[in-house]
Structures are given as C-alpha cells and as structure tokens.
C-alpha cells in the first residue's frame, strides 16, 4: 500500500494525489488551513483526519521556561492508500510516524491511523506533567512572595490550559466519531484500540479540570495573601498613629498659647510635660498590648 508523506500542505503533489484518489476539495482546503481544529470526516472512499500533536519549546518571553506548542498533521486514510501532511520540525509528529512505520501493517491503513492517533494522545500526558510542575512551583512562589508577576503567570497558565482543553475536547469527539461512524476506515478489529485512546483523552480532560481548579485555588490564595499583607500594613500604621496620639494631643494643647495651663510658669515645665507625654504613651502601649493589637 502506498504511503505518501508531504511536509508542505501547499505542495503541488497534494493536488495530484487529490485527482488520483478523488479527495474532496473541502478536505484539501482544510489541510491547507493553518488554524483548522481537530476533526474526523469519513466518506465512502477514505477517512480524513486533522490531529494536533503537542510538544514543548522554549518560551520567547522566558527562555529558561518551556511552553506547550501545537502543530497540525492531516491524514487521508483510504482502503489502499495513506497520505500524511505533517510539520517536519515537530518531534511529536516524527515520533508518531516512526511508530506507525515500525509497528504498523503497511497493508492496513486503519492500524496506521490508530497508531498515529494513539502516539499523539500519549504525548499529551507529558504536557499535563509539565503543567503539574509549573503549578506546583507557582503555589510555592505564592506562599513565599506573592507579587504581580506571579499573578501574571497564573493567568498565562490558565490561557494555556484553555487551549489544551479545546484540543482535547475536539480529539475526544474525533475518537468518538471513529468508533461510531460506520463509514470510517477503522474496522471492528481496531474499535477496541480506538476506545482505549478515547479513555486516555477522557483521563486527560479530567486532569485538565483538576489543574484548572488548582489554579483557581492558587488565585484565591494569592488574593488572600495580598489582602493579609495589606491588613498587616494597615495594622502597623494604625498602631503607630495611635502611639503618636498622646504626644500630638499634649503638644497641640500647649501650643495654643492658653493661660493657666499646668507647669506654665515652672522653670522645669518642659520636663514635666515631656514626662507626662511619655507616661501617657507607655500607658497607651500597655492598653494596646492587653488588647493584643501587637
């Protein structure tokens, strides 16, 4: 059985293969679209599938970090031919094609399609592990030193998880289509294998939902930490302002040039007033301490 692999969706070879195997123009258009979502469409002659392999690459904003990146692989699987349009730089795609060639049956396109799909789904687990590590590090950073940069990371991971969840939901629907559509290239022999892949996608979706809950909890912890820190600052400022109140009140009274104030005519009046201020401040501190303000 011939297997045609194209590295460029705009390769004229794809048009030749479309005429040779009666590929639908809409499927050719989907194969050449850069933002096509995961899907499976079956006809009488072949099954067309758009899959999204994922791999980790350095983040341009933070070279020491890695971020999940999706590419596209388009598959035309007929009874007597297989056409794949892939991104040659994606390691997940390379691994999927190598496994299909190594473990697949060159005369059985259903098994080749399953192996490619299963390998792509298995690579999603590494992306989930990557998110687990990032969320764990984020939680530690929130407890140690919450900052606006941490908050930005929380929202960045949430956006990435939304993208991963969208791909996984579409992949789950594609697996379901391969199981239930009687026109699909997947025969009864490989239905069980595809069902197992469907179960893997369901587990991945559960993991994504768990990670989203953890991020929401991290966001709540961040907001609580910032609120507590603000409360501590306000508490310190309130205590300092209260401690300064006796000195402000006494100095304000003696600064109004009123007649008949105590110690006004005494040569040691300043010392007496200073001592009175200190005693009032100490008494106030004792009261605040008893009230456990500090």
């Amino acid at each position: 059985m011939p297997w045609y692999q194209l590295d460029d969706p705009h390769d004229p070879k794809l048009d030749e293969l479309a005429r040779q195997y009666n590929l639908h123009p809409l499927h050719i258009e989907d194969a050449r679209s850069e933002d096509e979502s995961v899907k499976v469409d079956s006809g009488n002659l072949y099954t067309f599938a758009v899959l999204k392999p994922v791999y980790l690459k350095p983040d341009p904003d933070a070279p020491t970090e890695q971020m999940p990146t999706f590419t596209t692989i388009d598959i035309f699987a007929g009874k007597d031919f297989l056409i794949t349009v892939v991104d040659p730089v994606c390691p997940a795609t390379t691994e999927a094609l190598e496994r299909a060639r190594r473990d697949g049956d060159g005369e059985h396109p259903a098994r080749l399609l399953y192996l490619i799909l299963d390998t792509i789904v298995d690579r999603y687990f590494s992306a989930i592990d990557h998110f687990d590590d990032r969320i764990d590090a984020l939680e530690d950073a929130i407890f140690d030193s919450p900052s606006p940069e941490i908050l930005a990371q929380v929202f960045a991971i949430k956006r990435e998880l939304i993208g991963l969840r969208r791909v996984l939901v579409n992949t789950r629907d594609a697996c379901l289509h391969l199981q239930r559509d009687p026109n699909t290239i997947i025969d009864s022999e490989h239905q069980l294998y595809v069902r197992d892949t469907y179960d893997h996608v369901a587990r991945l979706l559960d993991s994504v939902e768990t990670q989203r809950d953890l991020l929401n909890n991290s966001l709540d912890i961040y907001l609580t930490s910032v609120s507590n820190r603000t409360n501590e600052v306000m508490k310190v400022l309130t205590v300092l302002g209260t401690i300064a109140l006796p000195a402000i009140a006494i100095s304000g009274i003696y600064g109004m040039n009123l007649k008949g104030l105590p110690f006004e005519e005494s040569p040691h009046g300043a010392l007496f007033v200073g001592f009175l201020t200190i005693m009032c401040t100490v008494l106030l501190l004792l009261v605040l301490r008893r009230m456990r303000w500090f």
Side-chain angles (χ1 to χ4, degrees):
M1 181 194 72
W3 180 348
Y4 307 93
Q5 178 177 327
L6 304 178
D7 297 336
D8 183 5
H10 299 284
D11 192 334
K13 180 67 173 178
L14 182 59
D15 297 315
E16 298 177 8
L17 294 173
R19 290 189 292 269
Q20 179 179 351
Y21 293 106
N22 295 321
L23 306 182
H24 199 283
L26 290 178
H27 293 160
I28 300 298
E29 181 181 346
D30 290 341
R32 287 174 171 164
S33 175
E34 296 181 356
D35 56 353
E36 189 65 30
S37 59
V38 177
K39 61 181 292 186
V40 170
D41 192 11
S42 299
N44 296 326
L45 300 178
Y46 63 93
T47 294
F48 173 66
V50 180
L51 304 177
K52 291 284 187 181
V54 64
Y55 69 101
L56 301 176
K57 75 172 186 178
D59 189 345
D61 297 329
T64 58
E65 299 291 336
Q66 290 183 316
M67 59 181 299
T69 303
F70 296 96
T71 60
T72 303
I73 174 171
D74 304 290
I75 304 174
F76 299 85
K79 296 180 180 179
D80 56 352
F81 71 93
L82 183 70
I83 303 171
T84 54
V85 184
V86 303
D87 181 1
V89 301
C90 175
T93 300
T94 302
E95 179 183 349
L97 297 181
E98 289 178 352
R99 181 188 176 193
R101 290 191 176 94
R102 181 181 65 251
D103 301 335
D105 184 353
E107 301 301 324
H108 209 315
R111 179 165 180 78
L112 297 177
L113 177 58
Y114 154 72
L115 289 173
I116 294 174
L117 173 63
D118 186 65
T119 306
I120 290 174
V121 170
D122 287 344
R123 287 297 296 259
Y124 289 138
F125 284 99
S126 61
I128 292 294
D129 293 338
H130 174 71
F131 279 114
D132 281 334
D133 295 338
R134 291 176 64 185
I135 292 174
D136 289 341
L138 199 60
E139 289 176 341
D140 294 338
I142 288 175
F143 282 111
D144 293 339
S145 56
S147 64
E149 291 76 14
I150 299 297
L151 184 62
Q153 293 181 32
V154 171
F155 286 112
I157 296 178
K158 289 187 74 171
R159 286 193 298 270
E160 294 176 14
L161 281 177
I162 289 173
L164 178 60
R165 184 181 184 278
R166 184 183 301 113
V167 172
L168 287 174
V169 168
N170 292 334
T171 304
R172 180 190 61 187
D173 295 341
C175 293
L176 197 60
H177 180 92
L178 289 174
Q179 293 180 61
R180 296 183 176 181
D181 191 344
N183 295 323
T184 184
I185 195 68
I186 300 296
D187 53 18
S188 58
E189 178 184 353
H190 293 87
Q191 289 289 334
L192 182 61
Y193 296 101
V194 175
R195 191 176 300 114
D196 180 69
T197 303
Y198 175 87
D199 293 338
H200 289 174
V201 177
R203 286 171 48 198
L204 288 166
L205 282 170
D206 290 340
S207 298
V208 169
E209 293 301 327
T210 301
Q211 290 175 341
R212 293 177 66 183
D213 291 339
L214 289 175
L215 278 177
N216 290 332
N217 293 338
S218 299
L219 182 59
D220 292 339
I221 293 173
Y222 171 84
L223 296 176
T224 302
S225 299
V226 172
S227 177
N228 289 339
R229 187 168 60 176
T230 303
N231 291 338
E232 289 296 327
V233 172
M234 294 303 298
K235 182 178 179 180
V236 171
L237 293 177
T238 302
V239 170
L240 291 177
T242 305
I243 292 173
L245 187 60
I248 295 173
I250 295 174
S251 62
I253 293 173
Y254 277 89
M256 290 189 295
N257 295 323
L258 298 176
K259 299 298 181 180
L261 293 175
F263 315 116
E264 182 180 7
E265 302 297 335
S266 173
H268 304 291
L271 293 177
F272 291 142
V273 172
F275 181 74
L276 177 62
T277 302
I278 293 174
M279 291 299 296
C280 291
T281 302
V282 171
L283 179 61
L284 181 61
L285 287 173
L286 292 175
V287 172
L288 294 179
R289 182 64 177 175
R290 187 174 183 84
M291 296 174 63
R292 297 185 178 180
W293 276 36
F294 60 90

